[in-house]
Amino acid sequence: MAGLFSANAWNKIWVYRETFLLGLKNTAISAAFGLLLALVIGVLLGLFATSGKRPLAVVARIYVEFIQNTPLLLQMCFLYYALAFSGHSLGILVTGILSLGIYHGAYVAEVVRAGIEAVPKGQFEAAYSQGFGYPGRMFCIILPQSIKMILPPMVNQVVNIFKNTSCLYIVGGADLISITYSFVTGESTGGAYAPAYLVSGLLFFLVCCPLSSLASMWEISLKKREGRSGGMDKRTERVA
Amino acid sequence: MIKLENVNKYFGDLHVLKDVNLEVKEGEKLVIIGPSGSGKSTTVRCMNFLETPSSGHVYIDGEEMTSHNKIQLVRKTTSMVFQQFNLYPHMTVLKNLVLAPVKLHHKSREEAEELAYHYLDVVGLREKAHVYPTTLSGGQQQRIAIARALCMQTKIILFDEPTSALDPETIQEVLDVMIRLAKENITMVVVTHEMGFARQVADRVIFMADGQILEEGTPDAFFDHPKNERLKSFLGKIIRK
């Protein structure tokens, strides 16, 4: 087995660098389309949860609880194997996008819900009292205010979805982790365990670290801005 | 213009409005007073269905308000000024004022801005058109909120304790604007604790307690010769000797 400092092993990785980049590309594609699906599901369910209509809120709650309280791995296996054996094979890329989208949709839904709930009730009332119907209320007045509360945790979701593509390994995906594994166990390429996983990890880090730093910087500047305008909430309740 | 017929409202087990009957004529200035928890805010909020009555009927401008037509009817007939102003913090003052006229009343941007500047003049804050609401004092924010309500050009404006969240020194500037408004032919329903304002502006004053209207009359009769015992003790407590 080649050690960490074996030039031979590092050289092998350099020769097969295209393979790693292909894995990265597959991971990025699964994450990007998965995110798109997660956004659609999440915004929809977030609106359901805050609609004030009980049946819709229940649907959103059940979805979120069910998805958040079962493992992503299980959901992937279910989508891939259970459907494959019933004759509806989806293919590995579609499985990845669907399962990641469904899973992260539940988290995005909670982020959206929290963002909407953070807008003071008076804003909904003012919009209603002007005669804004539900769509106008949400899109002109509420969501533009929630967006700054939604964005930082949303960026964290992007980081998570990117890392969670690694679960595709369980159904034999072509993502970065799966490809790394095939590489280190492959007949002609095998052996360079440590360098391969280091490189793979570095690629993840190079994408995720800037994103999560962005998220935390965003959050900090948000808190600062709120601190500055916080003075206006200091109202005296005056009883005559 | 506004008619409440046997309106009841429950919050869970709490019976907040008990068979309230009330009529407001076009152009009338009605002031509602009463202790907190008396149902006066709920009464006003039933007039635009911010609270849906548990039973009874609400008629606005001759049309019965239902959960189906409420948005259209509200858009056409009423606007509201809130205790906490509720200006849209992510928009400049001007944007606050033109949003609904442009989006809901299909006015052109130029028309809406002309209207906005006109009403900014009315409340004396033209120079604040391009600032964000949170940079203004409470009194200024409330005057902007009144201008926003005026931009809707509705026949009815509902005021839900418009000065209760203000610092004492800014109350008068808001009241002055409302006194000026009262000279127009706008139907005003005002929930307030400002007795001086009620006396000066109201055509009729209503006293509510425990979800019922206990006394109503012209300001002079109401304040100088109150009949109801609850009202007498209420006035005794709030009017400084």
Side-chain angles (χ1 to χ4, degrees):
Chain A
M1 287 291 134
L4 186 49
F5 300 105
S6 144
N8 186 27
W10 283 99
N11 187 43
K12 204 184 277 176
I13 286 172
W14 179 248
V15 171
Y16 283 91
R17 59 189 182 277
E18 298 281 326
T19 312
F20 285 90
L21 290 178
L22 176 70
L24 184 66
K25 187 179 132 208
N26 287 338
T27 277
I29 289 174
S30 307
F33 284 97
L35 182 70
L36 217 59
L37 179 62
L39 281 177
V40 171
I41 293 175
V43 169
L44 204 66
L45 290 179
L47 290 174
F48 276 18
T50 53
S51 63
K53 303 247 187 303
R54 223 183 131 65
L56 294 183
V58 168
V59 167
R61 201 68 243 154
I62 289 174
Y63 180 94
V64 168
E65 292 301 336
F66 188 75
I67 295 297
Q68 286 194 350
N69 292 302
T70 50
L72 172 58
L73 273 181
L74 181 142
Q75 295 164 17
M76 273 182 185
C77 290
F78 177 80
L79 262 179
Y80 191 69
Y81 293 116
L83 290 180
F85 280 120
S86 67
H88 303 85
S89 181
L90 291 171
I92 189 66
L93 188 67
V94 176
T95 305
I97 290 170
L98 277 183
S99 53
L100 287 168
I102 289 170
Y103 181 77
H104 285 275
Y107 288 89
V108 173
E110 286 296 87
V111 169
V112 172
R113 180 182 62 78
I116 292 174
E117 284 175 351
V119 177
K121 198 161 150 260
Q123 294 291 313
F124 292 83
E125 296 189 345
Y128 169 83
S129 76
Q130 289 202 295
F132 280 100
Y134 181 77
R137 225 152 46 225
M138 295 317 285
F139 289 102
C140 294
I141 292 145
I142 304 303
L143 288 177
Q145 294 185 59
S146 329
I147 202 82
K148 61 172 194 206
M149 287 170 269
I150 289 176
L151 277 176
M154 201 66 103
V155 177
N156 283 326
Q157 284 303 312
V158 180
V159 173
N160 284 336
I161 203 169
F162 199 85
K163 289 192 293 181
N164 277 346
T165 56
S166 56
C167 290
L168 281 167
Y169 163 69
I170 200 77
V171 289
D175 60 287
L176 185 49
I177 287 288
S178 306
I179 278 191
T180 309
Y181 182 76
S182 320
F183 178 80
V184 294
T185 53
E187 211 170 310
S188 57
T189 57
Y193 284 96
Y197 279 114
L198 271 179
V199 165
S200 175
L202 185 70
L203 288 174
F204 270 106
F205 183 81
L206 285 178
V207 174
C208 294
C209 179
L211 279 174
S212 48
S213 324
L214 176 74
S216 31
M217 267 155 49
W218 214 331
E219 242 171 318
I220 289 167
S221 83
L222 194 70
K223 285 214 182 88
K224 264 196 201 141
R225 228 177 309 152
E226 263 167 16
R228 230 182 295 148
S229 66
M232 65 153 289
D233 290 321
K234 209 175 48 193
R235 293 185 187 110
T236 41
E237 276 292 312
R238 209 183 65 92
V239 182
Chain B
M1 183 60 36
I2 306 170
K3 192 171 165 195
L4 306 187
E5 224 174 63
N6 302 323
V7 167
N8 281 282
K9 178 70 186 175
Y10 293 86
F11 290 125
D13 288 335
L14 201 63
H15 198 174
V16 192
L17 292 185
K18 298 170 185 163
D19 254 335
V20 170
N21 286 284
L22 175 63
E23 204 167 333
V24 189
K25 289 193 280 293
E26 179 156 8
E28 190 177 4
K29 322 298 168 206
L30 177 75
V31 169
I32 306 178
I33 65 169
S36 44
S38 61
K40 52 195 194 309
S41 276
T42 310
T43 303
V44 175
R45 289 160 64 89
C46 279
M47 292 177 181
N48 64 0
F49 265 42
L50 258 181
E51 303 292 353
T52 311
S54 308
S55 69
H57 305 276
V58 176
Y59 300 89
I60 303 292
D61 210 5
E63 202 173 330
E64 175 159 15
M65 193 177 275
T66 66
S67 22
H68 299 294
N69 72 1
K70 61 180 180 183
I71 287 285
Q72 268 69 33
L73 200 52
V74 162
R75 188 181 299 175
K76 219 165 53 186
T77 57
T78 72
S79 35
M80 193 171 214
V81 175
F82 297 87
Q83 182 174 353
Q84 301 291 354
F85 332 129
N86 297 346
L87 292 171
Y88 307 133
H90 59 304
M91 299 175 185
T92 62
V93 164
L94 188 65
K95 195 86 198 305
N96 264 276
L97 267 56
V98 301
L99 183 71
V102 168
K103 297 266 181 205
L104 301 178
H105 300 164
H106 309 295
K107 287 196 162 51
S108 71
R109 184 150 294 275
E110 294 73 41
E111 266 180 288
E113 287 192 359
E114 199 177 314
L115 198 67
Y117 279 114
H118 170 70
Y119 287 118
L120 281 175
D121 281 337
V122 170
V123 301
L125 288 170
R126 174 183 268 264
E127 75 280 6
K128 301 292 186 192
H130 296 290
V131 308
Y132 283 86
T134 44
T135 63
L136 301 173
S137 74
Q140 289 173 329
Q141 289 192 53
Q142 193 61 300
R143 283 150 68 197
I144 299 294
I146 293 173
R148 182 175 71 176
L150 288 168
C151 281
M152 307 296 293
Q153 298 192 295
T154 53
K155 291 181 186 172
I156 302 167
I157 303 184
L158 309 171
F159 294 84
D160 187 5
E161 302 207 28
T163 58
S164 298
L166 297 177
D167 290 330
E169 72 268 25
T170 64
I171 289 177
Q172 199 53 47
E173 62 187 71
V174 172
L175 291 179
D176 286 341
V177 168
M178 291 172 65
I179 291 165
R180 237 175 295 144
L181 275 193
K183 299 191 177 98
E184 312 283 322
N185 189 35
I186 302 169
T187 308
M188 291 169 65
V189 180
V190 186
V191 173
T192 187
H193 294 292
E194 296 297 329
M195 297 304 142
F197 171 81
R199 208 183 251 273
Q200 188 178 351
V201 161
D203 296 313
R204 187 158 52 117
V205 186
I206 278 180
F207 175 67
M208 286 189 79
D210 301 327
Q212 291 168 305
I213 296 174
L214 295 185
E215 183 154 341
E216 62 174 281
T218 61
D220 289 342
F222 190 92
F223 289 113
D224 298 335
H225 310 287
K227 291 185 278 290
N228 183 283
E229 285 306 318
R230 290 284 306 270
L231 173 57
K232 278 183 200 169
S233 86
F234 179 74
L235 290 176
K237 272 181 219 150
I238 62 167
I239 295 178
R240 321 260 198 283
K241 282 108 202 161

